[in-house]
Amino acid sequence: MSLHPDSSLTRLFTPRSIAVVGASATPGKIGAMPVSLLRQHGYDGRILPINPRADNIQGLPTAPDLAALDGPVDLVILAVPAAQAAQALACARPGQVGGAVVFTSGFSETGESGVAMQAALCDIARSRGIRLLGPNCLGFMNVRHNVYATFSPAPANGAVAPGGIGMVSQSGAFGAYAYCMARERGLGLSHWISTGNEADIDVADCIDWLARDADTRVIMAYMEGCRDGGKLRRALAAAREAGKPVVVTKIGRTQAGAQAAASHTAALAGDDAVYDALFRQYGALRARSIEEFFNLGYALDTWKQRPAGKRLGIFTISGGVGALMADEAQEAGLSLPEPDLAAQARLLERVPFAGPRNPVDVTGQVVSEPGLLLATADDMLADGRYDALAVFLAAAGSSEALWPTFETFAREMRARHPNVPLALCALFPPERRRELERLGALVFVDPSAAIRTIGAVSGLEAGDAVPEQVEDAATSDAGSNALSRSGLQRDAYNEVQAMEVLREAGLPVPDCTLATDADAAVAAAVRLAGPVVLKVVSPDILHKSDIGGVKLNLSGEDAVRAGYAAILDSLRLHRPDARIDGVLVAPMAPKGVECIVGVHRDPIFGPVVMFGLGGVFVEVLKDVSFRLAPFDHAQARAMIGEIQGYALLQGARGAPPCDIDALADALVALSRFAHVHRNDFASLEINPLLALPEGQGALALDAVLIPNTAVDAQ
Amino acid sequence: MSLHPDSSLTRLFTPRSIAVVGASATPGKIGAMPVSLLRQHGYDGRILPINPRADNIQGLPTAPDLAALDGPVDLVILAVPAAQAAQALACARPGQVGGAVVFTSGFSETGESGVAMQAALCDIARSRGIRLLGPNCLGFMNVRHNVYATFSPAPANGAVAPGGIGMVSQSGAFGAYAYCMARERGLGLSHWISTGNEADIDVADCIDWLARDADTRVIMAYMEGCRDGGKLRRALAAAREAGKPVVVTKIGRTQAGAQAAASHTAALAGDDAVYDALFRQYGALRARSIEEFFNLGYALDTWKQRPAGKRLGIFTISGGVGALMADEAQEAGLSLPEPDLAAQARLLERVPFAGPRNPVDVTGQVVSEPGLLLATADDMLADGRYDALAVFLAAAGSSEALWPTFETFAREMRARHPNVPLALCALFPPERRRELERLGALVFVDPSAAIRTIGAVSGLEAGDAVPEQVEDAATSDAGSNALSRSGLQRDAYNEVQAMEVLREAGLPVPDCTLATDADAAVAAAVRLAGPVVLKVVSPDILHKSDIGGVKLNLSGEDAVRAGYAAILDSLRLHRPDARIDGVLVAPMAPKGVECIVGVHRDPIFGPVVMFGLGGVFVEVLKDVSFRLAPFDHAQARAMIGEIQGYALLQGARGAPPCDIDALADALVALSRFAHVHRNDFASLEINPLLALPEGQGALALDAVLIPNTAVDAQ
């Protein structure tokens, strides 16, 4: 983990002095809340109320404005109307103020005049070296250092415990609710940050800073959109490098949600599928609901040791619920290996009618023989075949008489099997639940939620490698060839040129020749020494086959010559106007599975690579996966495996399995090319990219490359 | 609703007298629990402890056995070891005892000797007219009548409130847990029943009885399998007819779960996809988790008026969470119509920066202006465009100061908009939550769970028609033709015969002729007056095309004659051994989308119809839907709409939309045929069933019909 936190954010989030502009003595007022919260929670830095109309606020002497303060102020809280905010900051001397939190609304979220006011505020802050949180935000809390720079009433109704979760939310309302949920569920926070309008500091900045913050182990983030895709990527990479899992909720999964999000944020939210790809790529766990958001945060925070792999042991006192848990485990991608045969035998010795496989079902017997609990778990876990253990205790959890058994169980499990995190499913009274959590166990009421959560957080460390960095890739292989030095041409590419570009980018393409007369076509066919295909190449013809522009499977000089003539005849007849660059001579393609690969430029995240299967898969089922370019072989394999039609590549319907490694290599090469030339092209599609049988590679058979003619092209 | 409860179950579940065989004075013993629970809960019938070794149990006089009791005993609780259970029942006089609950384990769940013991117990019960619940069960509770015929410790830790939910669970452990969850979540129960080994009474019996029980409004059922599919269908139909929704959890959704279920129940669980079809068909809501089970039961029980349709209004004080809810709404199949324009204008007048569409976002403004809550809801609901309203209150729900606002809101909503059920999403303290529930509102912590739940219970009443009954269908159209009177033949069907059967069953088939010489083929082609296809018909040839057995698109006498000869030549060459029934002459099929339709006989539920699209859809994606035969047009349309590739039938890729009504008609006809001939065939596949463009119908092009040669054929 590299410890280079943004020191300006560190000064803002861990201030030694806080000025409150618009500090008020009237309880409940937005300017009264921070002063009283800071004092109530024992903040031990300086609190400097600023109010030109009062000498004294809540017992503290005031200053009329920032200029009247002698020393440096790490943090300024602005709780004045929008129109006065810029003016208040303008009183600061350059370097005097580290950061400002702007509670006030009425800026960019309200329309044009608000946008202008926000820009003016930013200008003043920038000119004085002040970092801005907000405006239109609920502020932040540094829970461990008692910094309550917020006017949210949430902490007044009860403070969360200090802990390892750094929480950041673009939305104040979501953030306040999440704060209350954390309190209810007993999660401990390091920081709570709401970013609001994100005039300067955004969610990505906070993730990046929390990734390097020593008090934070787990990051929980809520976002509605993002304006700087590269920054978000770097932030997620920093968190991954630091070994801090990121749980993220982003709105706008569906069309209805995206529409609602767009009208709410009035900002470009971007394509949700691209965010989804981003989160997968950087190992961030995307939560679809607030419940899931908290289940994930809860597991990642409570378990000091996370499951190293996907092998789950299920231990139940109800065979039926065990089966329900097995259902969920399969859907969550967990495996359920059986216990060692010797362990099964020991289990059956103890409880003859038990289910000795996995789920291991010791039946209600455990109620009269509490020792079964630990004995069974010991047997299951003796040979290290499980990465986590989920236990369903049915109604027994509510039994006061059995509490000592459960408490001992959790304690001993931690002592004897520290590498096998434990989840208990039962209805415990709240104080019992907290006790078990302190012993390192998760407690769930719903066993299915327990399994889903385990599935999501299992094997996180496995894919530990940080994805290729945006900055680094420019110096990679794809960047060192002729194309990248010169950039792509500005004119449209014909098929031959497009294929040539792909070849230089390292993609497998057939040995094609553009023939401009029949002799050249014959020569090319002779050189290829096998049946060939002829295809007209013209910028004016999209559907070549429809007008006789393609001839397949031609063998021998005569056939090639005749085919060439037939194509030209047909074109003269059907499209006398068309410009003709020539006729492409290529070997007949072998049999394979047709895939479609595309690259488009996302306005936020740059080039995005799409993968899918040909035919109905892309066109009807929209069965595609995405990754942000560039990416590595493992990511490419993952994106291939994500599509529903994956079985077809594995050899469905009696066909041989495809060369998935070669397919992945092609995707990697394309992703590097797309990254290096990210400003040069608008879109690129390879259709089909043929997946050949295992060991035989892949082959790009046709490509369309549209150069970028936009102003940002270099 | 027909009120013909099974009176023997009524006697068992609402007993006026209860004998406890094996009654004990020792607290905690299985025979002590019922007596103490009955007395503790004020059961007002007679309690008759049976114990030959004590005069008096818990202050009540005992009898040595059932024979020693003079009068009738509605219910006997058997709490004696397995070996003594049959003997105890044998003491009863015929008619004396209504029903028996057998707690004891050690019967069929333990292996062969247990199976024999269970059979003996059943014989004795049957001979004395005694209905049996169990053995190996936790008994039951009639909550409204204080009948606690259970030894579960769950009610001892706190009783659930009496209410409208009838709960039945095959598993005792699940049942006990569910009882505790109901208590925690404040759900009221009418009955709680655990069926255990189901020697006599099974879950279906209980659903059927609860469907006719006046105290029960909603049925919640947990099952692991089913031995009598017809009974379960009738039970679900009875519940539907009575307007009582059934929420069901059935284990074994996945391969892992099914494996665990099979090893647990040691009984044939049946094909899960068939259960899934059954539940859809009868409008039972299948819950995948205990959490979902309770969310559904909670909503169905709390809302006196259920949402009539799928139109949801979302009202939020956080735009972001509103979008999150919109995401979930789309996935739950709910629509989000915008408010009336006038309502939007009024809303913007009140809160200029509000989101006036749906989700309606009034922002945090509601905290300082609580009146906004009711005013906004009134505006949204004024013109009846919403079937339900979901409100997200963020952290404001935790505010004591705002409680009167929320309480008034819920009260006024019920008074002013009784037809629009309300769900509130916030963190309320438990007693506040209960209060809101008493006012008819649902309360959820997780807004996504609220939306999912609303989606599942919305529009339930819409598909109110009870599915065609198993009994009735035999007298339907398909039953009145020649085939049904005679039954199917026992020998294999060739293609022509199979097509003839389909035609008689009412399915659309092309006008085919089996020609046994070239002249006949020509005559048939002339009659068809258009291009024809010739196909060899032989019981020995499966892949006709591969060996030149098919000639397409033949026009004119010469072509037909030549085609006929070519087929015979080719067969003589490739398959001189094959028996040849003739050559099929059929019109060339028009263009359409190829579907596959099949029927197989499920061992539990009889004939099951499958629908899917041809090609990769069935073969690679397993994209199919099922329904139990027989079914009606609405069900057929539903099963067509369920497949992922449905877009292809709606006219994807520039193709015209298909004649889905004709497709549905074909499925209905097939389902009736399959039902009538349920004992006559083993399987039937139509491949392809061609879906033609709208208005042009459908066409079965090829069929394979395998007669049933099993012993149960008639």
Side-chain angles (χ1 to χ4, degrees):
Chain A
M1 172 180 171
S2 64
L3 274 166
H4 296 294
D6 183 331
S7 62
S8 66
L9 290 196
T10 302
R11 189 174 172 201
L12 188 156
F13 288 132
T14 58
R16 300 304 310 140
S17 51
I18 304 175
V20 183
V21 178
S24 166
T26 315
K29 281 208 107 174
I30 168 176
M33 195 80 86
V35 177
S36 61
L37 281 172
L38 284 166
R39 305 190 75 190
Q40 181 187 325
H41 287 92
Y43 169 65
D44 63 359
R46 293 177 66 202
I47 307 174
L48 308 158
I50 308 278
N51 189 326
R53 287 179 309 280
D55 291 341
N56 183 300
I57 299 279
Q58 299 182 44
L60 296 168
T62 65
D65 55 28
L66 290 172
L69 296 173
D70 290 337
V73 180
D74 290 338
L75 173 67
V76 170
I77 296 173
L78 287 176
V80 290
Q84 300 164 28
Q87 194 190 334
L89 266 200
C91 298
R93 297 179 294 278
Q96 181 194 17
V97 172
V101 171
V102 190
F103 291 167
T104 328
S105 60
F107 286 94
S108 68
E109 81 280 10
T110 63
E112 232 170 86
S113 70
V115 170
M117 210 151 42
Q118 185 166 314
L121 181 70
C122 279
D123 283 346
I124 287 168
R126 205 174 300 116
S127 70
R128 281 155 186 77
I130 301 172
R131 298 302 303 267
L132 270 192
L133 186 67
N136 186 29
C137 77
L138 279 184
F140 76 91
M141 308 176 222
N142 178 335
V143 181
R144 286 180 181 264
H145 296 91
N146 304 316
V147 183
Y148 282 79
T150 182
F151 69 99
S152 168
N157 292 330
V160 297
I165 296 176
M167 188 177 273
V168 52
S169 170
Q170 199 169 343
S171 153
F174 181 96
Y177 195 55
Y179 183 91
C180 297
M181 292 231 5
R183 184 178 59 214
E184 292 288 314
R185 298 193 52 160
L187 301 191
L189 301 188
S190 57
H191 297 269
W192 177 95
I193 309 169
S194 91
T195 57
N197 286 6
E198 303 193 336
D200 168 19
I201 299 170
D202 65 8
V203 167
D205 287 312
C206 296
I207 292 175
D208 193 72
W209 187 81
L210 291 167
R212 303 162 205 271
D213 170 53
D215 292 338
T216 300
R217 290 181 63 235
V218 174
I219 299 168
M220 294 176 72
Y222 165 92
M223 36 192 309
E224 301 181 340
C226 160
R227 282 184 292 240
D228 184 343
K231 186 159 72 171
L232 183 56
R233 290 177 78 163
R234 287 189 297 274
L236 293 175
R240 193 153 176 82
E241 202 180 339
K244 299 186 184 179
V246 178
V247 182
V248 58
T249 288
K250 184 203 153 282
I251 60 174
R253 276 196 330 265
T254 66
Q255 206 190 338
Q259 219 169 327
S263 87
H264 169 54
T265 61
L268 189 64
D271 181 355
D272 190 72
V274 176
Y275 282 91
D276 218 57
L278 168 75
F279 299 141
R280 287 173 194 265
Q281 202 160 339
Y282 286 82
L285 300 177
R286 184 173 188 177
R288 293 160 46 101
S289 66
I290 298 181
E291 177 75 18
E292 195 184 354
F293 188 63
F294 274 90
N295 283 345
L296 293 171
Y298 168 61
L300 292 167
D301 186 51
T302 305
W303 276 348
K304 298 314 161 200
Q305 172 85 33
R306 290 167 204 140
K310 295 275 187 190
R311 303 166 307 162
L312 176 68
I314 297 177
F315 172 15
T316 176
I317 69 170
S318 155
V321 175
L324 210 59
M325 293 164 84
D327 276 333
E328 203 71 42
Q330 176 158 343
E331 291 181 343
L334 294 164
S335 71
L336 299 171
E338 288 190 10
D340 176 35
L341 284 180
Q344 293 192 35
R346 277 195 300 279
L347 181 69
L348 286 173
E349 235 167 75
R350 277 193 223 101
V351 186
F353 307 118
R357 298 203 177 84
N358 188 9
V360 168
D361 169 19
V362 293
T363 78
Q365 193 67 19
V366 86
V367 174
S368 46
E369 239 182 285
L372 275 179
L373 209 54
L374 200 52
T376 304
D378 277 344
D379 273 348
M380 288 179 75
L381 302 181
D383 61 354
R385 69 177 60 202
Y386 298 110
D387 297 310
L389 185 70
V391 181
F392 178 65
L393 297 169
S398 320
S399 157
E400 264 306 295
L402 286 171
W403 168 248
T405 302
F406 299 137
E407 202 261 352
T408 305
F409 179 63
R411 190 181 302 282
E412 286 300 312
M413 282 291 292
R414 186 173 62 169
R416 301 184 194 181
H417 310 288
N419 297 325
V420 183
L422 173 70
L424 295 170
C425 306
L427 273 165
F428 289 105
E431 67 282 11
R432 297 306 196 194
R433 181 164 60 75
R434 295 280 155 85
E435 182 65 29
L436 292 167
E437 287 163 358
R438 274 191 291 271
L439 292 169
L442 298 184
V443 180
F444 283 91
V445 172
D446 180 21
S448 304
I451 303 288
R452 272 197 304 278
T453 304
I454 295 171
V457 305
S458 288
L460 267 190
E461 334 286 338
D464 228 352
V466 176
E468 211 163 336
Q469 289 302 291
V470 174
E471 291 71 19
D472 305 340
T475 59
S476 74
D477 287 356
S480 66
N481 64 25
L483 277 171
S484 67
R485 283 196 301 272
S486 62
L488 292 181
Q489 68 188 39
R490 301 292 297 271
D491 297 333
Y493 283 72
N494 69 29
E495 183 179 340
V496 185
Q497 293 167 316
M499 296 295 276
E500 191 48 39
V501 168
L502 291 187
R503 182 198 313 282
E504 292 202 34
L507 278 105
V509 296
D511 184 354
C512 304
T513 306
L514 184 66
T516 49
D517 59 37
D519 288 342
V522 168
V526 167
R527 191 172 54 77
L528 290 171
V532 297
V533 54
L534 301 186
K535 289 195 268 186
V536 68
V537 176
S538 160
D540 301 322
I541 297 172
L542 213 59
H543 301 291
K544 299 184 273 272
S545 301
D546 298 355
I547 52 164
V550 179
K551 298 287 165 193
L552 297 170
N553 214 11
L554 306 177
S555 290
E557 175 172 345
D558 292 350
V560 172
R561 203 171 288 281
Y564 191 95
I567 285 177
L568 291 194
D569 286 349
S570 183
L571 286 171
R572 251 173 249 126
L573 183 66
H574 292 105
R575 291 292 305 275
D577 58 312
R579 291 168 294 171
I580 296 175
D581 295 337
V583 171
L584 187 78
V585 185
M588 275 298 289
K591 277 201 171 180
V593 175
E594 294 197 349
C595 305
I596 299 179
V597 173
V599 188
H600 75 276
R601 287 174 66 214
D602 183 87
I604 312 282
F605 293 101
V608 176
V609 178
M610 181 214 82
F611 174 78
L613 295 178
V616 294
F617 287 95
V618 167
E619 292 180 44
V620 178
L621 298 170
K622 320 284 178 220
D623 179 20
V624 295
S625 58
F626 295 95
R627 286 294 185 281
L628 277 59
F631 49 78
D632 62 13
H633 192 85
Q635 288 290 339
R637 285 214 62 129
M639 80 183 283
I640 294 168
E642 265 164 34
I643 60 167
Q644 294 173 48
Y646 181 55
L648 205 68
L649 292 169
Q650 294 174 297
R653 303 207 280 179
C658 292
D659 197 332
I660 295 173
D661 268 327
L663 213 49
D665 286 339
L667 287 169
V668 170
L670 183 65
S671 81
R672 290 176 180 226
F673 171 82
H675 174 62
V676 171
H677 295 282
R678 58 191 174 277
N679 293 318
D680 301 339
F681 70 96
S683 74
L684 198 167
E685 185 177 281
I686 306 176
N687 182 7
L689 173 63
L690 206 62
L692 301 176
E694 227 164 39
Q696 297 178 34
L699 210 46
L701 292 189
D702 202 346
V704 177
L705 172 55
I706 312 281
N708 185 22
T709 50
V711 284
D712 66 343
Q714 288 159 0
Chain B
M1 173 179 169
S2 63
L3 275 165
H4 296 294
D6 183 330
S7 62
S8 66
L9 290 196
T10 302
R11 190 176 171 200
L12 187 156
F13 288 133
T14 56
R16 300 304 308 142
S17 51
I18 303 174
V20 183
V21 177
S24 166
T26 314
K29 281 206 107 176
I30 168 176
M33 197 80 86
V35 177
S36 62
L37 280 173
L38 285 166
R39 307 189 73 190
Q40 181 188 324
H41 287 92
Y43 170 66
D44 63 359
R46 293 177 65 202
I47 305 174
L48 308 158
I50 309 278
N51 189 325
R53 286 181 308 282
D55 292 342
N56 182 300
I57 299 278
Q58 299 183 44
L60 295 168
T62 66
D65 55 29
L66 290 172
L69 296 174
D70 291 337
V73 180
D74 289 340
L75 173 66
V76 170
I77 295 172
L78 288 176
V80 290
Q84 300 163 30
Q87 194 190 333
L89 266 201
C91 297
R93 297 179 295 277
Q96 180 193 15
V97 171
V101 171
V102 191
F103 291 167
T104 328
S105 59
F107 286 94
S108 70
E109 81 280 9
T110 63
E112 234 170 84
S113 70
V115 169
M117 210 151 42
Q118 186 166 313
L121 181 71
C122 278
D123 282 346
I124 286 169
R126 205 175 298 116
S127 70
R128 283 155 184 77
I130 302 171
R131 298 303 303 267
L132 269 191
L133 186 66
N136 186 28
C137 77
L138 280 183
F140 75 91
M141 309 176 221
N142 178 335
V143 181
R144 286 180 182 266
H145 296 90
N146 304 316
V147 183
Y148 283 78
T150 182
F151 69 100
S152 166
N157 293 331
V160 296
I165 296 176
M167 189 177 272
V168 52
S169 170
Q170 199 169 343
S171 154
F174 181 95
Y177 195 56
Y179 183 91
C180 297
M181 293 236 356
R183 184 179 58 214
E184 292 287 316
R185 297 194 51 161
L187 300 192
L189 300 188
S190 57
H191 298 270
W192 176 96
I193 309 169
S194 91
T195 57
N197 286 7
E198 303 193 338
D200 170 17
I201 299 169
D202 65 7
V203 167
D205 287 311
C206 296
I207 292 175
D208 193 72
W209 187 80
L210 291 167
R212 303 162 205 271
D213 170 53
D215 293 336
T216 300
R217 292 180 62 236
V218 174
I219 299 168
M220 293 175 70
Y222 165 92
M223 37 192 309
E224 300 180 341
C226 161
R227 281 181 294 238
D228 185 342
K231 187 159 72 171
L232 182 56
R233 289 176 79 164
R234 287 190 297 275
L236 293 176
R240 195 155 175 82
E241 204 179 338
K244 300 186 184 179
V246 178
V247 182
V248 59
T249 287
K250 186 203 151 283
I251 59 175
R253 277 195 330 265
T254 65
Q255 206 189 340
Q259 218 168 325
S263 86
H264 169 55
T265 62
L268 190 63
D271 180 354
D272 190 73
V274 176
Y275 281 90
D276 218 58
L278 168 75
F279 298 140
R280 286 172 193 265
Q281 201 159 341
Y282 286 83
L285 300 178
R286 183 173 190 177
R288 294 159 46 102
S289 66
I290 299 181
E291 177 76 18
E292 194 183 355
F293 188 64
F294 274 90
N295 283 344
L296 293 172
Y298 168 61
L300 292 167
D301 186 50
T302 305
W303 276 348
K304 300 313 162 199
Q305 173 84 34
R306 290 167 205 139
K310 296 274 186 191
R311 303 166 309 162
L312 176 68
I314 296 178
F315 172 14
T316 177
I317 68 171
S318 153
V321 175
L324 210 58
M325 293 164 85
D327 276 332
E328 203 70 42
Q330 174 157 343
E331 291 181 343
L334 293 164
S335 70
L336 300 171
E338 288 189 9
D340 175 37
L341 285 180
Q344 293 192 35
R346 278 195 300 278
L347 181 71
L348 286 173
E349 234 167 75
R350 277 194 223 98
V351 185
F353 307 119
R357 298 202 179 84
N358 190 7
V360 168
D361 170 19
V362 292
T363 76
Q365 193 67 18
V366 86
V367 175
S368 47
E369 240 182 284
L372 275 179
L373 208 55
L374 200 51
T376 305
D378 276 345
D379 274 349
M380 287 178 76
L381 303 181
D383 61 353
R385 67 178 60 202
Y386 298 110
D387 298 310
L389 184 69
V391 181
F392 178 67
L393 298 170
S398 321
S399 156
E400 263 307 293
L402 286 171
W403 168 249
T405 302
F406 299 137
E407 202 261 351
T408 305
F409 179 62
R411 190 181 301 282
E412 285 300 313
M413 281 292 291
R414 186 172 61 169
R416 302 183 193 182
H417 311 286
N419 296 326
V420 183
L422 174 70
L424 295 170
C425 307
L427 273 165
F428 289 106
E431 67 281 10
R432 297 306 196 194
R433 180 165 60 76
R434 295 280 155 85
E435 181 65 28
L436 293 167
E437 287 162 359
R438 273 192 290 273
L439 293 170
L442 299 184
V443 180
F444 284 90
V445 172
D446 180 20
S448 304
I451 303 288
R452 270 198 304 279
T453 304
I454 295 170
V457 305
S458 287
L460 268 190
E461 333 285 337
D464 229 351
V466 175
E468 212 162 334
Q469 289 302 292
V470 174
E471 291 72 18
D472 304 340
T475 60
S476 73
D477 288 354
S480 66
N481 64 23
L483 277 170
S484 68
R485 284 195 300 273
S486 62
L488 292 180
Q489 68 187 42
R490 301 291 298 271
D491 297 334
Y493 284 71
N494 69 30
E495 183 179 342
V496 184
Q497 293 168 317
M499 297 296 275
E500 193 48 38
V501 169
L502 291 186
R503 183 200 310 281
E504 293 203 33
L507 279 105
V509 296
D511 184 355
C512 303
T513 306
L514 183 65
T516 49
D517 57 38
D519 288 341
V522 168
V526 166
R527 191 173 57 75
L528 290 171
V532 297
V533 55
L534 301 186
K535 289 195 268 184
V536 69
V537 176
S538 160
D540 302 321
I541 297 172
L542 212 61
H543 299 291
K544 299 185 273 271
S545 300
D546 299 355
I547 52 164
V550 179
K551 298 287 164 191
L552 297 170
N553 214 10
L554 306 177
S555 290
E557 176 172 342
D558 292 350
V560 172
R561 205 171 288 279
Y564 191 96
I567 285 178
L568 291 195
D569 286 349
S570 183
L571 286 170
R572 253 175 247 123
L573 183 67
H574 292 106
R575 291 291 304 274
D577 58 311
R579 292 167 293 170
I580 295 176
D581 295 337
V583 171
L584 188 79
V585 185
M588 275 300 289
K591 278 203 170 178
V593 175
E594 295 197 349
C595 305
I596 299 179
V597 173
V599 187
H600 76 275
R601 286 174 67 215
D602 183 87
I604 312 280
F605 293 100
V608 177
V609 178
M610 181 215 84
F611 174 78
L613 295 179
V616 294
F617 287 95
V618 167
E619 292 180 45
V620 177
L621 297 170
K622 319 287 179 219
D623 179 19
V624 295
S625 57
F626 295 95
R627 285 296 184 280
L628 277 58
F631 50 77
D632 63 12
H633 192 86
Q635 288 289 339
R637 286 213 60 129
M639 80 184 283
I640 293 168
E642 265 164 34
I643 60 167
Q644 293 174 47
Y646 182 55
L648 205 67
L649 292 169
Q650 293 175 297
R653 303 208 279 182
C658 292
D659 196 333
I660 294 171
D661 269 327
L663 213 49
D665 286 339
L667 287 169
V668 170
L670 183 66
S671 83
R672 291 175 179 228
F673 170 83
H675 174 62
V676 171
H677 294 283
R678 58 190 174 278
N679 293 316
D680 301 341
F681 71 95
S683 74
L684 199 167
E685 186 176 282
I686 306 176
N687 182 7
L689 173 64
L690 207 60
L692 301 177
E694 227 163 41
Q696 298 180 32
L699 211 46
L701 293 189
D702 202 346
V704 178
L705 172 55
I706 312 282
N708 184 21
T709 50
V711 286
D712 67 343
Q714 289 158 2

